[in-house]
Amino acid sequence: MQFLCISSLQSLTMQSSLVLSPLPAFIPPLKTTAFRRIRPPSAVAAPPLTTNIRQAVTHSMPPEKVDIFKSLESWAAESVLPLLKPVDQCWQPTEFLPTSSQPFDQFTDEVRALRDRSSDLLDDYFVVLVGDMITEDALPTYQTMINTLDGVRDETGASPNPWAMWTRAWTAEENRHGDLLRTYLYLSGRVDMKMIERTVQYLIGSGMDPGTENNPYLGFVYTSFQERATFVSHGNTARLAKDGGDPVLARICGTIASDEKRHENAYVKIVEKLLEVDPTGAMMAIADMMRKKITMPAHLMYDGQDPSLFEHFSAVAQRLGVYTVDDYADILEYLIGRWKLEKMEGLTGEGRRAQEFVCGLAPRIRKLQERADERAKKMGPRGVKFSWIFNKEVRV
Ligand SMILES: [Fe+2]
Ligand SMILES: [Fe+2]
């Protein structure tokens, strides 16, 4: 998973320059939500209290709707599980990396070739690639998040329930993404691995707050959006790697993007099914998540130095075109089309209001972005130092 942070979208109208998150947690200020600041447990040492966390709402799905997910178990087994790939047909990180079991000289030749290929890639590209890698590496948080969802969680840790089987196997597929990007970055010699590792540790310790309220309707809308956002983001880092003279890295990012696309298909299919069996409930869930804004999973990232690290990373991703507010609006429009939301009938009054909100949102997001761009232009560029690249300065 990957995608603007709550605070950045929330403060969009307050800030003079736009800060976007790469895996968009982007959010027009359409509705005021109550927020509370949380104090990090001292052992976790999260970012220094600059991050707003949503007000805790838990178990918002009415208990009787758990039966819907129970009744969809055989459908999930037939329609969702086949979107996983058998392990022996899956790519593995080592296929893209120098082979360490060969004679040392040959291994070092391959490492040297990797470094030569990446030598023309710019520092700002590495900032974005590192941010994407860190987002992937906080995978324990995402599996935890999905297992907070009522009616689909893995009740035992090895449950044969198809929802639980999907989540475990999805996690196992995703686990290769962070591994591959991390090893590539390590071998490139271009980044400060210790600061990256520290950021990952902080991030997993901090968790995430997507506002899914233990509610699988909200959870699957979130994952549908996020998987597509990561597909877009990795696709763009692939394109930039190719343009920058590193075809192997381009293949790495492109291969990860194609996994994200397959995962997107699964989650989109689940929401599509919910729209079929419970049109109003599903439509309201989509509207609810879009009102809250889809927060990037790594919105609580911190390296021990920069309390605005996520906003800075997001701003670089926006500038390089890796993940932008336009992408956020595009994803929304794509999902509206894919779920045929504009033509949906049989909704209650509440459902129709939710439909109207969702279907009219993308142009509002784009307009907001245009205004933010104009303000940012007047401010001019500024530089930010990133610990991940040895405190070198990058324009945001
Ligand atoms: Fe993903
Ligand atoms: Fe991923």
Side-chain angles (χ1 to χ4, degrees), residues 1-2 136 173-174 177-178 227 230 234 256 259-260 263:
M1 308 195 17
Q2 269 178 341
E136 293 286 351
E173 288 194 359
E174 285 282 340
H177 301 174
E227 292 287 17
T230 43
H234 290 307
I256 294 174
D259 273 4
E260 308 293 10
H263 296 162

Side-chain angles (χ1 to χ4, degrees), residues 198-369:
R198 197 174 273 177
T199 311
V200 170
Q201 188 173 353
Y202 273 119
L203 181 59
I204 294 174
S206 298
M208 70 185 286
D209 180 28
T212 45
E213 306 172 0
N214 313 103
N215 181 331
Y217 283 72
L218 301 179
F220 290 135
V221 171
Y222 179 81
T223 51
S224 297
F225 197 107
Q226 275 294 346
E227 292 287 17
R228 185 155 183 92
T230 43
F231 161 67
V232 169
S233 172
H234 290 307
N236 284 326
T237 53
R239 176 177 50 77
L240 292 175
K242 187 162 177 263
D243 295 348
D246 190 339
V248 176
L249 180 57
R251 199 154 60 82
I252 288 173
C253 296
T255 301
I256 294 174
S258 73
D259 273 4
E260 308 293 10
K261 179 77 192 154
R262 190 160 43 80
H263 296 162
E264 170 208 313
N265 278 336
Y267 290 119
V268 163
K269 221 168 165 179
I270 294 170
V271 175
E272 187 176 51
K273 189 69 180 171
L274 292 173
L275 284 160
E276 180 190 316
V277 300
D278 180 10
T280 293
M283 182 68 84
M284 288 182 66
I286 296 167
D288 187 19
M289 284 315 296
M290 295 315 302
R291 277 201 186 89
K292 288 192 271 206
K293 292 101 185 182
I294 303 291
T295 313
M296 286 292 285
H299 68 113
L300 297 178
M301 72 166 52
Y302 181 55
D303 59 354
Q305 293 183 15
D306 180 0
S308 303
L309 180 59
F310 182 71
E311 283 75 12
H312 292 152
F313 155 59
S314 301
V316 179
Q318 166 85 15
R319 186 171 60 76
L320 295 193
V322 167
Y323 190 76
T324 68
V325 179
D326 260 343
D327 290 324
Y328 187 92
D330 288 348
I331 292 168
L332 174 58
E333 285 180 335
Y334 168 83
L335 291 173
I336 290 169
R338 175 72 174 72
W339 290 328
K340 304 185 176 62
L341 298 186
E342 283 172 324
K343 291 184 187 140
M344 262 194 73
E345 290 175 359
L347 298 165
T348 63
E350 265 185 328
R352 280 198 302 277
R353 281 191 292 280
Q355 179 184 34
E356 202 176 316
F357 167 74
V358 171
C359 296
L361 186 55
R364 296 169 67 188
I365 294 170
R366 291 188 205 278
K367 188 147 276 169
L368 203 64
Q369 172 65 14

